[in-house]
Amino acid sequence: MARQERAIRTRNAVLEAAATVFAEHGYESATIMQILDRAQVTKGALYFHFTSKEDLARGVLEHAVTEPPPEQPVKVQSFIDMGLLLAHRLPREPLLRGAARIAADQSAQRFFGQPWQDWVKLTAQQLTAAKEQGEVLPYVDPERTAQTMVAAFTGTQLMSQASTQMSDLEERVSLLYDLVLPSIAVPGVLGRLDTSPERGARLYAEYRAAVEARSAGG
């Protein structure tokens, strides 16, 4: 059991190191030596778990799409919550940052396709649910709106990374929703929505409490 636990810790350390290096340098520029230096493991330990840099990137990309926050009675709020929670987690979680950088890296798409399409699908589902409840303006196309929102979020994330190492990402994403929502949600819903930058931290605290409760319950 102790050997298995060490193997899991080593694998996680390598993945987090790879994610950090990918986030800082991009997939093409990242090297195995940089990942080894960051992870502080031997080359043999790395290759025991991952056969190549491409294999490492695929491991990181498994974390590209996270579990959405709890559903809200107002479905447009669920749509907002997903972005605000992600904006809170991205600066704090290397695996998410690395996955986001690979997903946005044009040079890596020949290996990994377009992972952000999973975010588009999830966002479109939320907007469709909101439209079915009459919360979204009749002319809004959930699929096309989802594509636009994921593109806008990605651009906002990259700008925040370049400017402040994502320290202002929550404020930028909050502003993005404030600007976009009047063209998506019906007026009666707008006044009931919470787009505050602090909401992501509150959602994360609830998310962690739910995870811990599930773990405690086996």
Side-chain angles (χ1 to χ4, degrees):
M1 182 63 71
R3 182 178 298 177
Q4 184 179 12
E5 290 174 357
R6 284 198 302 272
I8 292 171
R9 285 198 298 270
T10 299
R11 185 181 191 278
N12 290 341
V14 171
L15 263 184
E16 288 213 359
T20 301
V21 172
F22 290 145
E24 292 175 354
H25 301 283
Y27 175 77
E28 289 288 348
S29 298
T31 68
I32 291 293
M33 285 306 301
Q34 289 171 325
I35 295 168
L36 287 172
D37 287 343
R38 187 66 62 99
Q40 292 294 292
V41 300
T42 66
K43 187 178 291 188
L46 184 150
Y47 283 115
F48 177 80
H49 294 282
F50 301 97
T51 60
S52 63
K53 186 172 78 168
E54 182 179 340
D55 192 26
L56 270 167
R58 293 192 186 281
V60 171
L61 280 171
E62 290 177 2
H63 300 266
V65 179
T66 63
E67 182 179 343
E71 281 293 317
Q72 302 293 333
V74 177
K75 299 307 177 185
V76 175
Q77 187 67 62
S78 298
F79 157 69
I80 297 166
D81 286 353
M82 185 171 70
L84 292 177
L85 180 58
L86 185 60
H88 178 76
R89 293 179 64 186
L90 270 168
R92 296 163 175 83
E93 299 184 22
L95 284 171
L96 270 179
R97 283 201 309 280
R101 177 66 185 268
I102 296 169
D105 193 339
Q106 295 290 319
S107 64
Q109 288 187 9
R110 69 180 185 273
F111 297 116
F112 311 114
Q114 299 174 335
W116 43 262
Q117 284 291 359
D118 291 333
W119 279 112
V120 171
K121 181 179 179 181
L122 186 55
T123 303
Q125 289 171 349
Q126 291 178 324
L127 288 171
T128 298
K131 191 168 186 179
E132 289 171 351
Q133 287 196 179
E135 300 170 5
V136 169
L137 294 165
Y139 61 79
V140 171
D141 182 321
E143 176 67 27
R144 295 181 68 185
T145 303
Q147 292 176 359
T148 301
M149 284 302 300
V150 171
F153 186 100
T154 302
T156 300
Q157 168 210 322
L158 293 174
M159 286 283 289
S160 178
Q161 172 71 39
S163 302
T164 67
Q165 293 295 301
M166 293 196 192
S167 65
D168 66 349
L169 181 59
E170 290 165 281
E171 289 79 8
R172 287 175 182 259
V173 171
S174 172
L175 178 60
L176 173 64
Y177 282 117
D178 287 341
L179 293 172
V180 169
L181 284 170
S183 65
I184 295 177
V186 298
V189 168
L190 282 174
R192 301 159 58 191
L193 301 174
D194 183 358
T195 62
S196 62
E198 300 79 20
R199 183 171 175 83
R202 296 196 300 270
L203 291 167
Y204 184 70
E206 294 171 7
Y207 164 80
R208 291 301 308 166
V211 169
E212 290 169 6
R214 286 200 299 268
S215 298

